[in-house]
Amino acid sequence: MNREASRALFAEALGLMPGGVNSPVRAFRAVGGQPFFVRRAHGARLTDVDGNTFIDYVCTWGPNILGHAHPSILRAVSERLPDGLSFGACHPLEIEMAKTIRAFVPSMEKLRMCNSGTEAAMSCVRLARGFTGRDRIVKFEGCYHGHGDSLLVTAGSGALTFGRPDSAGVPVALAALTISLPFNDREAVRAAFRESGREIAAVILEPIPANAGLYLPEAGWLEFLRETASAHGALLIFDEVMSGFRVAPGGAQQISGVPPDLTALGKVIGGGLPVGAFGGRAEIMDHLAPLGPVYQAGTLSGNPIALAAGLANLRGLIAPPDGTPDPYAHMERLGAALETGLREAARRAKRPCCVQRAGSMFCAYFREGPVRNLADAKLSDTAAFGRWFAEMLARGINLAPSQFEAGFLCAAHTEADIEATLRAADKAFRAL
Ligand SMILES: *Cc1c(COP(=O)(O)O)cnc(C)c1O
């Protein structure tokens, strides 16, 4: 596989951008080697600047659920372009987007658009603090909520109630207000609420954590968090930036039947353009400016081009054109085949591997399962994963370049793609 053009661009990028990238995971540090530069992407295929083509399981980290450059999204965007790129004023697509989201995520009685998942999650936390008049928040290890200060916090050593910054530059005093607990661990949550229940503004989580590989909420876990938060006057925030409109149109809250007080969305609702949204009970949302005292704003929030792309993406999911299969059923079928096939390929090569999946999201952890939280995930053989990743890439399969990221299917993947992927996986496992 020729990689010359990518190598040359990366050498140049290193002098221009920290690590050569605009978002850290793209740098391939977790797997070794060098990133490729993309020339174009269509459907489930990505072509790099050297002309190599890959079956893509990153799908922009989630948004491109119909496939890259989907004709209906391109059409929606190009139809809007002549009318102006941005107004910084009200326009009708905002109404359409709000109605579309609320129809599928009814817990979002009122919502506000923003430009990224980071903003959505950060705004939920500020709003929860402003609404409850409390400062502490509870989050879970391995759940990613973007790079807002209060959320880049990891478990502090020993002391249950004090988180420590997960990034330089996050003030220790702020991190101390975040309590970071193991996912699926009820006793840890009970203890935190026993100790600081009256100070906790909110519990925030990915109801299906997909940012440390992929693990699942155990039976009763989401219900338990709902009850515990309510009993203590704290809000429950579901960060469905990844799971929203992906695991089901109504996200993990539709599947579990557990309604949060606030929800953060992003990724799929933008169809590949920068969009985020947050919303929830009207009584809480009305604490936002201009009605209430919690400030939140955005020059490009509700941008018409981004909303046109996002709405076209959502329509393709919830109202697929006649004659096309339901995208969720299609991805579930392919996901099941991929899950089973990867597990069997690993077993044939006698490689410990735990494949976990939620619909179109999956992760192959290089260890025996099950993986139920970050501590379990961290025991994976990341060196072996790195070699497997490189073997897969060399065979034309683009996976997320880290053991601690999920893979994504899109509606454009085909059975033939899965078969080709499993043939590559078989060889890649044997080559380790
Ligand atoms: C991607 C992601 C974010 C951050 O979204 P950005 O658009 O990258 O800022 C937040 N939460 C979850 C669950 C995500 O997957």
Side-chain angles (χ1 to χ4, degrees), residues 198-418:
R198 271 191 228 121
E199 298 164 53
I200 295 171
V203 175
I204 182 170
L205 74 155
E206 290 181 77
I208 300 177
N211 281 283
L214 181 90
Y215 41 85
L216 299 168
E218 287 174 353
W221 166 246
L222 298 175
E223 290 82 352
F224 163 77
L225 293 177
R226 176 66 279 176
E227 285 160 21
T228 307
S230 298
H232 291 85
L235 301 186
L236 182 64
I237 305 171
F238 279 2
D239 179 348
E240 299 227 46
V241 170
M242 197 70 102
S243 53
F245 286 94
R246 177 165 278 280
V247 295
Q253 54 194 276
Q254 177 187 328
I255 293 176
S256 66
V258 176
D261 299 296
L262 292 172
T263 299
L265 293 175
K267 297 197 167 109
V268 168
I269 64 163
L273 289 183
V275 175
F278 64 100
R281 279 162 45 201
E283 168 204 11
I284 303 171
M285 290 301 287
D286 285 348
H287 274 62
L288 280 179
L291 290 183
V294 179
Y295 193 70
Q296 192 279 340
T299 303
L300 294 176
S301 294
N303 173 274
I305 308 300
L307 293 195
L311 276 165
N313 207 28
L314 297 186
R315 282 201 199 97
L317 286 169
I318 60 190
D322 289 343
T324 41
D326 172 62
Y328 295 101
H330 174 73
M331 291 186 290
E332 171 61 33
R333 201 157 39 79
L334 297 192
L338 187 63
E339 175 186 351
T340 314
L342 286 175
R343 198 172 286 142
E344 283 168 2
R347 191 164 53 223
R348 280 194 296 275
K350 302 197 165 42
R351 177 65 53 176
C353 184
C354 161
V355 185
Q356 301 196 153
R357 183 176 69 88
S360 57
M361 309 191 286
F362 63 92
C363 179
Y365 289 108
F366 276 53
R367 57 157 296 173
E368 301 291 349
V371 171
R372 49 190 291 280
N373 56 32
L374 182 64
D376 291 347
K378 277 189 167 167
L379 294 174
S380 302
D381 184 347
T382 53
F385 174 84
R387 294 196 300 277
W388 186 71
F389 168 85
E391 293 288 344
M392 291 295 273
L393 193 66
R395 291 177 170 81
I397 310 297
N398 185 44
L399 297 165
S402 165
Q403 171 74 93
F404 306 115
E405 299 287 356
F408 300 95
L409 285 155
C410 71
H413 281 106
T414 62
E415 256 149 56
D417 289 335
I418 302 298

Side-chain angles (χ1 to χ4, degrees), residues 45-122:
R45 292 275 189 301
L46 201 102
T47 301
D48 71 10
V49 289
D50 288 290
N52 304 304
T53 293
F54 304 94
I55 301 177
D56 184 25
Y57 291 101
V58 179
C59 296
T60 322
W61 305 93
N64 292 108
I65 194 166
L66 297 181
H68 293 287
H70 193 272
S72 70
I73 300 180
L74 299 188
R75 203 179 317 117
V77 167
S78 50
E79 280 171 10
R80 287 287 323 171
L81 289 174
D83 290 333
L85 298 182
S86 180
F87 316 125
C90 304
H91 64 90
L93 280 184
E94 297 175 295
I95 312 282
E96 216 174 317
M97 181 54 108
K99 286 206 294 200
T100 305
I101 291 176
R102 197 176 64 175
F104 290 92
V105 192
S107 73
M108 297 173 83
E109 294 170 1
K110 282 194 175 177
L111 56 132
R112 178 166 284 177
M113 306 306 301
C114 53
N115 305 289
S116 68
T118 293
E119 277 180 67
M122 208 174 74

